[in-house]
Amino acid sequence: MAAVGTPLNRTLVRVRKPFSEDRTTAVVATTLSVLALTYPLIDRALNLGALDDLFPIVVYILLALGLNIVVGFAGLLDLGYAAFFAIGAYTVAILTSPSSPVASWLPFELNFWAALILAFFTAAIFGVILGAPTLRLRGDYLAIVTLGFGEIVPIVFRNAVGLTKGDQGLNAIAQPNIFGYELNSSTLWGWWYLLMLVGLLIIFMARRLRDSRLGRAWMAMREDEIAAASMGIDLVKTKLFAFALGASFSGLAGVLFASRYSFANPSQFEFSTSVLLLSMVILGGLGNIWGVIVGGLLLGVFDRILSARATGWIQGLGDATGIELLEKVNLRDSRVGFFGLTLVLMMLLRPEGLLPNAQRKRELEAQATPEGEVRVDETLYDKRGEPL
Amino acid sequence: MQDLIQALLTGLALGSVFALIALGYTLVYGIIELINFAHGDLFMLTSFAALTVLEAFAIGRGSPLGTKVGALFLALLVAMLFGAVVNVLIERLAYRRLRNAPRLTPLISAIGMSFILIQIGQYWKGSRPLDVPRVINRLDLLGPLDIGVRFFLRDLILILVTIPILLGLLYVVNRTRIGKAMRATAQDRDASALMGIDINRTIAFAFLLGGALAGAAGVMYGQYTLTTDYQRGFETGLKAFTAAVLGGIGNLNGAVLGGLLIGIIQAMSERFLQNGSAWANAVIFAILITILVFRPSGLLGEQTPDKA
């Protein structure tokens, strides 16, 4: 083994480092996992009553993990990601809701699990349908095409009244039965652990994908398409896999969401949902799975829980002190601006996110230097890839 | 037949508003290759500014002609100034520092900016749809002919306001010194800087022009629909962006052509499709996708080499 700091060693460490996660991430991952598994107990012990409010947040985090595959790993900016969420939700709704014509036309009653698998593949197919024609597009044009798609999908669900009941939405969607344990709207613990199970599965798959041949191809493509193609990467296949996998994860989350509330309605899947998800991924750190979870948790808790409760506290403070300005504060109305501010500030100050992916961070730094100027990394690394 | 002509006329009037907004997208994209996502919401804010002016004049049905004309001109002036200033500020705050960043970074910043503007709009005038006072009387110019086709004074004025603005813009870009600087910067930023062009000023000027045009659109669109609200910008902006792409983004004539076509397409889908107003948007966004996929250079654009 060459001595520490020789050019060869530095290169080796540089190549290996992105694939070994650093200590911060390990601490965050352990803390989050323990918290997630014990949360229902904590919630009950401290009487927080937030378990029900946390459900949509966790679903959004699952969605953000899926979006992270498309945007973070493969570098394809998808602004219509909520469309696949809608497709997953509506697939299960159309297949199992008694008010949908398809479910009543089917000769047998489809159960939740069958619908789940169908929804997973339906979303993947739509991912490919959207992905296939966009393969030749540059980054920003791709973003707009996905945005257009994301706009069309809710319009279709809203106006195809015969199939979806339009704005009224579909209700009484099938709910899962796990070895005789029936989940319904009041079994909060059951839903929580089902989500955790799916979450674990998604995290596991995302990690394995990232370190697989396909994952390395995604990252190579993200950095430089032309160079990746000349190294023998099949861009068409690589991009389609990113779209299909991202979409199917989103579809999965859609099924859980629709089934938990037993209801699907077009207004749940609009552009602001796609932007909320994008903000989560960017706040946490594009490409870093645990970063995305932290980002999702922060934004989600603010959006769904803290904004409402903090509004109450501030207004209460206003009442107590007689300051009129405080009484009028309503943070719930400010959610849109809050997401926007998050995006702008992150882009200006810390584009790599709160918990950056090491490789991604270096890319951003390299591209930020003016063309022609070569930035030489003078840091010495020890064998484990830690800077000396 | 009458339906067809009617849709064409309505579409031309509506399309000239889209053209004004589309020019803002095209100016900015032409010079720094950024899809200025916040542009539609800037348009929404200018319509609020115009509304404030019209409300200050307490325009009603019976207001004298002089007051109406004066109020309309003042609203135009205020909205255009407001749009120009805000757009330059946005560029300074959210985009300038990201000029050398990877391509998607400023785009995400622009999306964020768009949401900030929506929030400002919501704080400014609340969440409910607002009535815009009618300044131009509801006068059917083709009424006396009695041919079953209607063309309102409003539509005529919309087109009459748009044309000189477009000619002025073409003059500025093609004939003046700053226009030449803009074209040079669009071609090669570094080389232009070496030739002594102040890049920051030139780019800011493109945002200024785009903002002013959005201001004009804010006034005229308000007179067309007689209503506005804080969410109006997203959808209208996306349609105008479609127009810019349809014509060939970066190409001024293309933006105008695209705007008129999108206006006509919207009018036609509303008239001829069953439940048309619900589906019109889906039709326009489908066109957007089709064009981006099959002819990203648009109708009048030139094929540009892939830089990414």
Side-chain angles (χ1 to χ4, degrees):
Chain A
M1 194 74 196
V4 170
T6 63
L8 175 66
N9 192 24
R10 248 183 282 165
T11 317
L12 279 178
V13 167
R14 267 184 154 232
V15 172
R16 206 189 310 133
K17 203 186 172 206
F19 301 107
S20 67
E21 282 171 305
D22 59 78
R23 246 176 247 155
T24 329
T25 309
V27 172
V28 169
T30 320
T31 321
L32 280 179
S33 313
V34 172
L35 251 169
L37 291 178
T38 53
Y39 185 76
L41 291 167
I42 299 172
D43 191 274
R44 177 182 285 180
L46 299 179
N47 203 11
L48 294 171
L51 194 56
D52 202 22
D53 292 337
L54 273 171
F55 182 87
I57 298 174
V58 179
V59 172
Y60 281 151
I61 292 175
L62 298 187
L63 284 165
L65 284 171
L67 182 61
N68 183 44
I69 292 182
V70 188
V71 184
F73 293 170
L76 307 164
L77 184 56
D78 188 341
L79 294 179
Y81 196 64
F84 302 115
F85 184 39
I87 287 170
Y90 265 100
T91 308
V92 70
I94 289 170
L95 286 174
T96 66
S97 165
S99 44
S100 116
V102 176
S104 47
W105 169 81
L106 281 175
F108 49 89
E109 208 170 292
L110 216 58
N111 83 359
F112 171 82
W113 300 107
L116 176 93
I117 292 166
L118 280 173
F120 184 87
F121 285 108
T122 310
I125 289 168
F126 273 97
V128 173
I129 289 177
L130 172 68
T134 59
L135 293 169
R136 297 180 304 156
L137 296 181
R138 276 197 318 237
D140 47 359
Y141 273 24
L142 175 76
I144 295 296
V145 169
T146 53
L147 168 61
F149 181 72
E151 284 299 298
I152 290 175
V153 167
I155 295 179
V156 170
F157 285 137
R158 177 164 286 136
N159 293 310
V161 179
L163 196 60
T164 62
K165 294 269 180 288
D167 276 318
Q168 203 187 325
L170 288 169
N171 58 8
I173 296 166
Q175 297 183 314
N177 180 332
I178 306 167
F179 304 119
Y181 178 60
E182 195 90 39
L183 287 184
N184 57 45
S185 298
S186 55
T187 52
L188 295 183
W189 282 45
W191 283 108
W192 179 262
Y193 284 107
L194 179 64
L195 265 191
M196 290 304 132
L197 202 69
V198 176
L200 276 179
L201 185 76
I202 287 182
I203 291 172
F204 175 76
M205 279 172 64
R207 281 175 56 111
R208 299 309 297 155
L209 279 170
R210 180 195 59 186
D211 294 344
S212 70
R213 194 184 173 83
L214 181 62
R216 289 197 304 276
W218 282 337
M219 282 169 233
M221 189 176 74
R222 174 184 79 195
E223 286 176 51
D224 191 330
E225 275 194 13
I226 297 166
S230 33
M231 288 296 142
I233 289 173
D234 182 348
L235 291 182
V236 171
K237 207 177 80 183
T238 313
K239 281 190 185 177
L240 283 184
F241 264 116
F243 270 116
L245 284 164
S248 53
F249 283 12
S250 181
L252 204 61
V255 173
L256 291 171
F257 192 78
S259 173
R260 157 72 181 82
Y261 295 106
S262 205
F263 181 64
N265 163 292
S267 68
Q268 297 161 328
F269 311 105
E270 281 176 346
F271 181 59
S272 62
T273 310
S274 292
V275 171
L276 169 64
L277 296 172
L278 185 68
S279 314
M280 288 175 166
V281 174
I282 283 168
L283 177 66
L286 270 173
N288 183 348
I289 294 168
W290 294 100
V292 169
I293 296 176
V294 171
L297 208 55
L298 287 175
L299 271 188
V301 169
F302 174 82
D303 182 31
R304 293 270 175 160
I305 301 178
L306 216 56
S307 62
R309 297 194 181 183
T311 302
W313 298 332
I314 295 173
Q315 287 178 348
L317 189 72
D319 280 339
T321 54
I323 302 172
E324 207 175 313
L325 196 68
L326 290 180
E327 287 176 45
K328 282 188 188 156
V329 168
N330 189 349
L331 292 175
R332 286 186 70 79
D333 282 348
S334 312
R335 54 192 297 258
V336 176
F338 189 79
F339 304 152
L341 208 59
T342 309
L343 287 178
V344 175
L345 288 180
M346 290 306 288
M347 285 302 109
L348 290 175
L349 305 174
R350 205 178 155 90
E352 69 272 20
L354 294 178
L355 276 182
N357 165 311
Q359 192 183 7
R360 172 91 195 159
K361 187 178 170 189
R362 275 205 296 278
E363 275 167 46
L364 280 166
E365 282 168 358
Q367 279 174 308
T369 54
E371 261 173 78
E373 186 185 314
V374 179
R375 184 187 275 194
V376 182
D377 184 2
E378 298 286 358
T379 328
L380 300 181
Y381 295 100
D382 68 13
K383 283 182 193 166
R384 283 171 307 169
E386 305 285 339
L388 282 176
Chain B
M1 189 60 196
Q2 281 163 347
D3 272 358
L4 191 70
I5 296 172
Q6 181 67 64
L8 271 174
L9 287 177
T10 317
L12 278 180
L14 186 62
S16 50
V17 178
F18 287 142
L20 286 173
I21 310 173
L23 281 166
Y25 281 104
T26 254
L27 276 168
V28 168
Y29 194 90
I31 202 160
I32 56 172
E33 299 209 337
L34 165 72
I35 297 171
N36 184 10
F37 219 88
H39 195 67
D41 304 293
L42 176 72
F43 152 79
M44 174 273 295
L45 285 184
T46 63
S47 78
F48 282 11
L51 179 59
T52 309
V53 173
L54 294 181
E55 277 173 347
F57 275 82
I59 296 285
R61 284 184 72 86
S63 305
L65 186 66
T67 323
K68 282 185 170 177
V69 173
L72 192 63
F73 268 98
L74 193 66
L76 258 177
L77 195 71
V78 168
M80 287 175 80
L81 260 178
F82 175 82
V85 170
V86 174
N87 215 20
V88 169
L89 277 178
I90 290 172
E91 192 270 334
R92 185 73 193 83
L93 292 175
Y95 306 149
R96 185 174 293 184
R97 280 182 50 171
L98 302 175
R99 222 174 266 162
N100 290 318
R103 211 186 167 92
L104 294 182
T105 311
L107 179 62
I108 294 171
S109 185
I111 296 170
M113 209 61 216
S114 147
F115 275 67
I116 293 175
L117 295 187
I118 291 176
Q119 186 74 66
I120 293 174
Q122 196 187 356
Y123 276 142
W124 187 1
K125 299 264 183 195
S127 307
R128 294 220 189 109
L130 304 154
D131 289 330
V132 177
R134 187 196 292 276
V135 182
I136 306 164
N137 283 343
R138 195 179 151 82
L139 174 69
D140 185 2
L141 297 176
L142 296 181
L145 293 177
D146 198 24
I147 49 173
V149 176
R150 301 202 290 182
F151 189 67
F152 292 107
L153 179 62
R154 170 198 74 187
D155 302 342
L156 182 69
I157 291 182
L158 265 174
I159 297 172
L160 285 185
V161 167
T162 309
I163 290 172
I165 289 178
L166 295 179
L167 291 179
L169 183 70
L170 283 177
Y171 175 79
V172 169
V173 172
N174 291 324
R175 293 273 182 270
T176 61
R177 208 176 151 76
I178 184 93
K180 203 180 220 175
M182 281 170 65
R183 283 177 290 138
T185 310
Q187 271 188 16
D188 189 327
R189 210 181 300 156
D190 295 335
S192 311
L194 291 173
M195 295 299 134
I197 293 172
D198 185 342
I199 300 297
N200 285 338
R201 210 176 66 117
T202 311
I203 293 176
F205 187 71
F207 275 87
L208 183 135
L209 286 180
L213 292 173
V219 179
M220 301 325 285
Y221 192 72
Q223 285 308 305
Y224 187 84
T225 57
L226 298 177
T227 171
T228 184
D229 65 83
Y230 75 107
Q231 289 178 316
R232 189 58 60 94
F234 173 68
E235 196 187 295
T236 316
L238 198 53
K239 283 182 196 165
F241 178 74
T242 308
V245 172
L246 179 61
I249 194 153
N251 182 324
L252 298 181
N253 299 320
V256 176
L257 177 68
L260 296 179
L261 284 177
I262 290 295
I264 292 170
I265 290 168
Q266 165 150 0
M268 296 248 178
S269 2
E270 280 174 359
R271 191 160 283 269
F272 295 117
L273 285 183
Q274 197 187 4
N275 196 6
S277 49
W279 288 102
N281 288 349
V283 171
I284 290 174
F285 298 144
I287 289 173
L288 171 69
I289 294 179
T290 317
I291 289 177
L292 282 177
V293 169
F294 293 106
R295 194 178 158 84
S297 55
L299 295 176
L300 300 184
E302 283 154 31
Q303 204 72 47
T304 46
D306 195 350
K307 286 190 193 169

